[in-house]
Amino acid sequence: MTVREIESKSLLRKVRRPDSWFLTKYGMNIYRGCSHNCVYCDGQAEKYQVSDNFESEIEVKINAPQLLEKELNRLAKKREKPGFIGIIGGVSDAYQPVEADYKITRQILTILSECNYPVMILTKSTLIERDIDLLKKINDKTNALIGMSFSSVDDEISKIFEPGVEPPFRRLQTLAKLKEAGIKCGIFLMPVIPFITDSWEKMNDVFRKAAKLNLDFIVSGGMTLKSGRQSDNFYSVLDEHYPELSTEYSMIFTGNKYGSATDQYYQSLNAPLVELSRLYKIPLRIPFIGFDRQFTLNEKVIIMLEQLDYLIKLQSPKSPFGFAAYNLSKLKEPIEQHQFFLQSIKGIGKVTEKLIQEIIQTGTSDYYKRLLHIS
Ligand code: SF4
């Protein structure tokens, strides 16, 4: 493996609007490239302009801690509620093996802790256990949220598709330790690998094990296969281990420019997800509870509406909430100023107005809690 130290010009990237999947408003990549070497990894696609040897040439943003300090200072001056600061990657995992030596993620957490910022981390590595002390500190002061990613909890399948990470049983142990430390955490079940980890049995295993650990959420996503490196890599492994599936794959991955499978295939995952979430009482989104210090009321309403929109669309083609959330995201002033004229905002009808009023008055909504199976 080649490790290249680089000096980056900036670190934090602001997302267009608060992300209802991760509850982040800012994100960062500490590394580029990832030696976890997951066969399906979207980050290896050419569009992200990473090295041809995504898994063996790792760039380390050596000045990331200094950049973060500067950028948080600027952020503090704006007096903006920061949402969760995301260490989610996209083209890397902040706890890949090189982190054991460089400890940059640890330095980043130290700064976030000292400056009182909340953090959301998505990883596939048990190395995060090393930082439970810091995460606990952050969680006590503001909040820490951890997502551990899995494509299934089957150790044998994981060996084939995730050769560079610890098996699912070890990652579940890490989640148990995080829970023990009082940190909210759950599973990012993504990607669900078509015809391999998408059966009822495989998904049921994930929910059953998550329920046993009393995890806080399971957020699921389907697989994409962008043409080029990502597809080539995936199909060579598929041909080696599951040659019988090549026809099924050609039926659902038809060359869409985003690498998406057919809508029909993605929709086939919805019913089991809804049913398993109901059976095990595990939310399919990170429940928005207790995060009022990190988000404005406008942002809170938008996130809750977007989460509801997602949950409704798992079962029905239409939902009124997505369009309403989009229009609310354009409001410049606090939503309370519109409290008595909400229906004058595009996309907000009677039902949505009632729900927003309930959130404004009580901080939550019974409907939201029912759909997320939280009390
Ligand atoms: S851990 Fe994430 S970033 Fe790293 S190879 Fe796997 S999918 Fe890609």
Side-chain angles (χ1 to χ4, degrees):
M1 187 171 76
T2 318
V3 177
R4 201 156 65 86
E5 296 180 359
I6 58 164
E7 297 246 344
S8 189
K9 289 201 174 99
S10 60
L11 186 70
L12 290 176
R13 189 175 21 87
K14 188 167 184 177
V15 296
R16 261 187 301 138
R17 62 175 202 257
D19 187 307
S20 61
W21 287 59
F22 300 102
L23 307 189
T24 52
K25 280 168 71 175
Y26 290 87
M28 69 179 84
N29 268 300
I30 298 169
Y31 300 99
R32 282 177 72 78
C34 185
S35 62
H36 284 161
N37 196 15
C38 305
V39 170
Y40 47 70
C41 179
D42 170 77
Q44 64 191 309
E46 283 80 353
K47 80 173 250 200
Y48 303 112
Q49 297 171 353
V50 287
S51 148
D52 284 350
N53 304 311
F54 180 77
E55 73 297 343
S56 60
E57 281 177 22
I58 312 299
E59 287 183 347
V60 182
K61 290 185 185 167
I62 198 77
N63 61 338
Q66 293 75 28
L67 286 173
L68 182 66
E69 270 181 334
K70 259 194 229 158
E71 291 173 21
L72 287 183
N73 272 338
R74 282 206 291 270
L75 203 60
K77 280 182 196 144
K78 285 192 194 163
R79 297 185 178 280
E80 179 192 335
K81 293 197 176 193
F84 282 82
I85 306 284
I87 308 182
I88 290 165
V91 292
S92 65
D93 187 315
Y95 284 103
Q96 60 179 301
V98 70
E99 165 63 18
D101 296 327
Y102 276 91
K103 299 190 179 67
I104 296 187
T105 302
R106 187 165 174 86
Q107 291 177 56
I108 295 284
L109 291 182
T110 307
I111 295 166
L112 291 175
S113 165
E114 284 165 0
C115 302
N116 293 322
Y117 280 93
V119 69
M120 195 287 158
I121 299 178
L122 178 62
T123 183
K124 207 174 254 164
S125 171
T126 57
L127 179 58
I128 193 172
E129 291 176 15
R130 180 199 67 189
D131 293 343
I132 287 181
D133 58 336
L134 272 173
L135 291 167
K136 203 170 161 351
K137 242 190 213 172
I138 295 176
N139 196 45
D140 291 344
K141 292 206 255 184
T142 50
N143 277 113
L145 266 176
I146 310 298
M148 182 64 81
S149 95
F150 296 76
S151 56
S152 74
V153 289
D154 184 313
D155 293 345
E156 292 308 311
I157 293 177
S158 173
K159 255 189 227 164
I160 298 171
F161 290 98
E162 296 150 357
V165 280
E166 299 256 30
F169 90 89
R170 266 294 290 122
R171 279 178 260 159
L172 288 166
Q173 286 175 349
T174 303
L175 284 171
K177 289 180 189 175
L178 288 160
K179 275 300 286 184
E180 218 177 274
I183 296 164
K184 282 204 172 89
C185 58
I187 286 177
F188 274 73
L189 181 60
M190 49 174 78
V192 175
I193 306 176
F195 313 114
I196 296 170
T197 68
D198 61 357
S199 64
W200 171 268
E201 187 199 10
K202 289 273 178 280
M203 287 166 72
N204 183 48
D205 277 350
V206 176
F207 278 79
R208 187 171 47 79
K209 291 186 178 176
K212 218 169 156 190
L213 296 178
N214 199 19
L215 297 184
D216 298 287
F217 53 84
I218 293 180
V219 175
S220 176
M223 193 170 88
T224 56
L225 276 183
K226 296 191 176 64
S227 64
R229 265 195 309 252
Q230 187 196 7
S231 272
D232 296 349
N233 197 10
F234 184 84
Y235 280 122
S236 74
V237 173
L238 191 77
D239 287 346
E240 189 186 338
H241 294 273
Y242 298 91
E244 71 283 6
L245 290 180
S246 68
T247 310
E248 275 89 343
Y249 269 74
S250 63
M251 303 288 282
I252 64 165
F253 287 104
T254 54
N256 166 306
K257 74 171 175 178
Y258 303 109
S260 313
T262 56
D263 287 348
Q264 209 183 6
Y265 171 73
Y266 288 139
Q267 279 159 16
S268 72
L269 302 174
N270 294 348
L273 272 177
V274 170
E275 185 57 12
L276 287 165
S277 164
R278 192 188 59 77
L279 269 176
Y280 289 99
K281 307 261 171 293
I282 302 180
L284 293 173
R285 279 291 179 263
I286 301 175
F288 194 107
I289 300 169
F291 305 141
D292 292 325
R293 279 171 59 199
Q294 281 84 41
F295 294 91
T296 64
L297 183 56
N298 290 35
E299 290 165 344
K300 175 179 181 165
V301 171
I302 292 164
I303 289 172
M304 290 172 83
L305 289 180
E306 284 190 349
Q307 291 186 336
L308 285 174
D309 188 68
Y310 166 81
L311 294 167
I312 290 169
K313 283 185 180 156
L314 289 176
Q315 301 184 71
S316 123
K318 281 195 175 163
S319 143
F321 299 130
F323 189 48
Y326 171 74
N327 289 311
L328 281 174
S329 73
K330 297 189 162 171
L331 273 190
K332 298 264 182 289
E333 53 287 330
I335 195 168
E336 295 95 317
Q337 289 183 19
H338 293 262
Q339 191 172 355
F340 303 108
F341 321 97
L342 282 169
Q343 285 194 46
S344 64
I345 297 171
K346 243 186 179 174
I348 298 186
K350 235 182 177 176
V351 174
T352 314
E353 181 188 30
K354 203 170 157 219
L355 190 121
I356 295 173
Q357 295 288 12
E358 191 187 352
I359 297 173
I360 294 175
Q361 281 156 28
T362 68
T364 187
S365 135
D366 285 340
Y367 183 60
Y368 179 80
K369 289 198 269 186
R370 267 204 312 281
L371 252 68
L372 269 90
H373 306 295
I374 49 179
S375 47

